[in-house]
Amino acid sequence: MLRAKENLLFYLESILSENQGYLSKFSEDCLEKYLNNFYLFLEAFKEMKPDKRAWLTIDDLQKIKIENEYDLQHLLYAALRPLYGDIRKEVTEDSGVGAIRSDLKIPSLNAVIEAKCSRKSMNMKMLTEQIEADIVHYKADSIYFYVYDKEKIIKDRAAFETCFNRNFDGKKIRIVILQPVNL
């Protein structure tokens, strides 16, 4: 009887650990899909006219702009918080050669999200160097770069994505690029 109980407990623990792996993979796939479709949130939030009975007006919503990485980080955090309750902003850790600070960290996924926002003084080389430095320093299993390229410094998106969307040094690296269009 005791042996059967031990076998049952072992079996249940193995099922639970398999499901945790599945849930973690599922959750990470959801994060990647969400980041790839974050522009839909921005579009619905900023460009769709609110109902005439709403207190918010289209003018109120148009005042919200992404001017720098901190604005982007704030919106990403707010949008991801309901999905990932353990998400944290501005997490500082020791990299072995100094302190590094990730924009967003999701401990349950061992994932980091770095918000990048192009500016007039930035060029392609600067952006690439920032991303490469972050890849080397972060110890997370997955690193996501969300690049809000408002200055459109990335000319060949497909090549840029191909260059970075890969595994490196045991880390899953993904880059998402949003180049907003204002008509």
Side-chain angles (χ1 to χ4, degrees):
M1 206 55 169
L2 188 57
R3 187 176 196 89
K5 177 184 168 188
E6 289 172 0
N7 287 342
L8 178 62
L9 287 173
F10 176 77
Y11 176 71
L12 290 174
E13 286 176 7
S14 69
I15 288 174
L16 287 174
S17 66
E18 284 177 18
N19 283 341
Q20 289 292 12
Y22 170 77
L23 290 174
S24 177
K25 173 75 174 129
F26 174 76
S27 191
E28 196 163 327
D29 288 346
C30 287
L31 175 60
E32 193 167 334
K33 184 175 181 175
Y34 189 87
L35 290 174
N36 279 309
N37 291 304
F38 185 66
Y39 72 93
L40 293 171
F41 163 78
L42 292 174
E43 180 182 65
F45 184 69
K46 288 196 43 109
E47 296 177 13
M48 291 185 69
K49 186 176 180 180
D51 187 277
K52 64 183 176 184
R53 295 168 289 185
W55 283 96
L56 286 173
T57 66
I58 194 75
D59 292 335
D60 295 332
L61 296 174
Q62 292 304 317
K63 291 176 187 174
I64 299 171
K65 297 190 183 308
I66 299 173
E67 295 294 334
N68 59 35
E69 292 178 11
Y70 298 101
D71 296 336
L72 178 60
Q73 177 184 324
H74 183 77
L75 285 170
L76 282 168
Y77 175 81
L80 290 170
R81 180 84 168 103
L83 300 172
Y84 303 96
D86 64 336
I87 193 169
R88 301 289 175 261
K89 284 172 66 170
E90 304 273 332
V91 177
T92 303
E93 297 176 301
D94 182 17
S95 70
V97 294
I100 57 166
R101 187 176 65 216
S102 56
D103 292 339
L104 302 172
K105 182 169 186 168
I106 304 173
S108 60
L109 299 179
N110 195 16
V112 166
I113 302 170
E114 273 300 302
K116 301 289 182 193
C117 188
S118 63
R119 55 190 179 276
K120 291 185 188 328
S121 64
M122 179 183 269
N123 60 34
M124 184 73 159
K125 182 180 178 193
M126 290 170 66
L127 177 63
T128 302
E129 287 173 352
Q130 285 181 17
I131 292 171
E132 288 170 344
D134 288 342
I135 290 171
V136 172
H137 292 297
Y138 290 126
K139 294 179 182 176
D141 292 336
S142 302
I143 305 170
Y144 297 89
F145 294 94
Y146 196 91
V147 180
Y148 188 75
D149 187 17
K150 64 182 187 151
E151 299 299 327
K152 298 185 176 44
I153 61 174
I154 300 171
K155 302 299 181 208
D156 188 348
R157 286 180 55 166
F160 197 78
E161 288 171 344
T162 300
C163 177
F164 287 108
N165 283 341
R166 62 182 66 213
N167 292 346
F168 174 78
D169 198 22
K171 303 170 194 174
K172 176 182 166 183
I173 312 300
R174 294 295 181 265
I175 192 159
V176 178
I177 302 165
L178 175 60
Q179 292 177 318
V181 177
N182 293 325
L183 299 175

